[in-house]
Amino acid sequence: APHGVREKLVLANETATLCPSNLTQLTISDYLATQPWFDQVKVFREVYRERRDALLESLEALMPPGTTWTVPAGGFYSWVTLPAGLDATAMLPRAVAALVAYVPGTGFYAPGAGGEHELRLSYCYPEPDRIREGVRRLAGVIETEVELAATFGSPTSAPARSGPTAPTPDLA
């Protein structure tokens, strides 16, 4: 947007964010004071726990050697580190062709600063059976990539470990 328009939009956004109307504040306050919203939080925690567990169990059962992942203590994502020599961004079109998607790790780093061997998997939306199927498809794509790297070589390398890992402090 042109600079002048952008500045007006920024001011309008700041006004709405920093100073919501009294009516809005009173409405939210009344809702929180009178409705069983915390019960819904308990329901969501159980739903997300079931989905997280489906993801972790599937990763454990299906991922090829050299693949590691985080065990989330909260949130909606697990970080997966691919076997040595694989590139998550280069692999993404083949994963999408297999009807599974993820976010390559490079999207979470400054350009050139890393993430090539990592990907982020979300478990918040799909039902557990769809999560299991998605992990099965992803594992197949990774296995194919490992075979290709073994056949044609790879210019990159990463430590080969298997199993879950704890998130680093910046991911917890």
Side-chain angles (χ1 to χ4, degrees):
H3 180 73
V5 172
R6 188 174 62 239
E7 290 300 313
K8 297 286 186 199
L9 291 173
V10 167
L11 287 174
N13 181 54
E14 287 175 353
T15 300
T17 302
L18 298 175
C19 188
S21 74
N22 288 338
L23 176 61
T24 301
Q25 292 181 54
L26 289 170
T27 302
I28 296 298
S29 179
D30 183 61
Y31 177 84
L32 294 175
T34 62
Q35 299 301 311
W37 62 271
F38 199 71
D39 293 343
Q40 189 62 45
V41 171
K42 290 178 186 175
V43 170
F44 286 147
R45 287 182 64 180
E46 289 303 316
V47 166
Y48 295 135
R49 179 179 293 116
E50 179 185 21
R51 292 174 183 188
R52 181 206 59 198
D53 291 349
L55 177 70
L56 295 175
E57 291 163 5
S58 298
L59 290 169
E60 185 70 39
L62 299 168
M63 283 294 141
T67 308
T68 63
W69 53 90
T70 61
V71 176
F76 302 113
Y77 309 101
S78 180
W79 283 88
V80 175
T81 301
L82 296 171
L86 300 192
D87 182 314
T89 301
M91 191 176 75
L92 183 58
R94 290 178 285 284
V96 170
L99 303 177
V100 64
Y102 56 82
V103 181
T106 53
F108 303 94
Y109 290 81
E116 294 83 5
H117 309 292
E118 300 168 340
L119 55 96
R120 185 180 79 171
L121 295 178
S122 172
Y123 57 85
C124 67
Y125 180 72
E127 296 286 332
D129 287 340
R130 291 198 63 198
I131 291 170
R132 291 182 190 96
E133 177 62 18
V135 171
R136 186 191 66 75
R137 292 176 186 187
L138 180 60
V141 171
I142 294 171
E143 288 170 355
T144 299
E145 293 293 307
V146 168
E147 291 170 6
L148 288 171
T151 301
F152 297 106
S154 174
T156 60
S157 63
R161 300 178 326 190
S162 293
T165 60
T168 58
D170 62 326
L171 297 178

